[in-house]
């Protein structure tokens, strides 16, 4: 049977059968792979370490008719502190769920998204930055990478320049910010400060993500709007969206 050696981060896992686990492993080369880990939930089985959510491993996988199972692995990073803090756990889960839902959306540049996820999890895990700021920064940068960046400098309907506007709204269904003339009754108000914060976050490099420190009112305004925008473009509900909504 052919073996495949690949770096990957576990972005989703589920128990199945008596002792097994099914993983979704996000890899730089192949995007998301479904991988089974046989017997890992048996007492004393050391394969359990590679089957935990967020585990970053070098996996050696068996491939059989397009299905993968773990042959061996070397754990590079467990991101263990994420499991000990509700806010960090919720934000890290949100980043992983976003990658999971985007993985069936066409041309995902896996290597760029992988690097972004690695940095986001590392900073959420090991820095004192507000984990929501990192999750929001990750979300907008991931959307940009996936080709779903919201319109921010011009109105998503009429194209009018928003950079000098003092008032704007945001509409997920129209794909971004709207000028006050185009905004309808159901569109959400967005402050000039929040718009500028998103513009700046999307320009950052992976290693610069920890520079993001959002004012509380911007964080509060951006969070529901970001979750809704992600759900609209990915056409799926984010389970973690509700959880992170409780952190603010
Ligand atoms: Zn307009």
């Amino acid at each position: 049977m052919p073996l495949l050696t690949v770096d990957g981060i576990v972005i989703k896992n589920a128990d199945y059968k008596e002792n097994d686990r099914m993983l979704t492993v996000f890899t730089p080369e192949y995007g998301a792979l479904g991988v089974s880990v046989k017997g890992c939930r048996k007492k004393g089985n050391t394969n359990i370490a590679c089957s935990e959510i967020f585990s970053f491993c070098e996996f050696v996988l068996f491939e059989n008719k397009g299905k993968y199972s773990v042959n061996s692995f070397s754990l590079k990073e467990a991101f263990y502190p994420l499991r000990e803090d509700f806010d960090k756990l919720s934000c890290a889960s949100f980043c992983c769920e976003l990658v999971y839902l985007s993985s069936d959306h066409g041309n995902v540049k896996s290597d760029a998204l992988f690097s972004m996820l690695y940095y986001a999890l590392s900073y959420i895990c090991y820095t004192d930055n507000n984990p929501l700021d990192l999750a929001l920064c990750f979300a907008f940068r991931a959307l940009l990478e996936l080709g779903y960046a919201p319109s921010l400098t011009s109105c998503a309907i009429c194209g009018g320049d928003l950079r000098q506007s003092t008032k704007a709204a945001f509409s997920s269904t129209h794909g971004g910010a709207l000028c006050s003339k185009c905004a309808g009754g159901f569109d959400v108000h967005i402050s000039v400060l929040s718009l500028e914060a998103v513009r700046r976050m999307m320009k950052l490099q992976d290693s610069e993500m920890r520079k993001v420190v959002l004012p509380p009112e911007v964080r509060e305004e951006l969070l529901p709007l970001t979750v809704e925008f992600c759900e609209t473009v990915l056409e799926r509900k984010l389970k973690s969206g509700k959880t992170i909504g409780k952190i603010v």
Side-chain angles (χ1 to χ4, degrees), residues 155-160 178-183:
C155 171
I157 293 179
C158 74
L178 305 179
C179 71
S180 46
K181 279 184 207 154
C182 293

Side-chain angles (χ1 to χ4, degrees), residues 184-236:
F186 295 105
D187 298 320
V188 187
H189 165 81
I190 186 168
S191 65
V192 174
L193 200 60
S194 292
L195 275 181
E196 184 56 23
V198 178
R199 286 184 199 119
R200 288 190 189 186
M201 286 194 285
M202 295 211 301
K203 285 185 185 155
L204 296 177
Q205 302 294 313
D206 292 344
S207 60
E208 295 174 324
M209 286 165 71
R210 65 172 302 190
K211 287 183 183 169
V212 176
V213 181
L214 298 175
E217 67 273 21
V218 168
R219 189 179 299 133
E220 215 166 297
E221 188 174 55
L222 284 180
L223 185 61
L225 176 157
T226 307
V227 172
E228 195 199 299
F229 187 78
C230 292
E231 289 180 340
T232 304
V233 296
L234 298 173
E235 300 173 307
R236 303 273 289 276

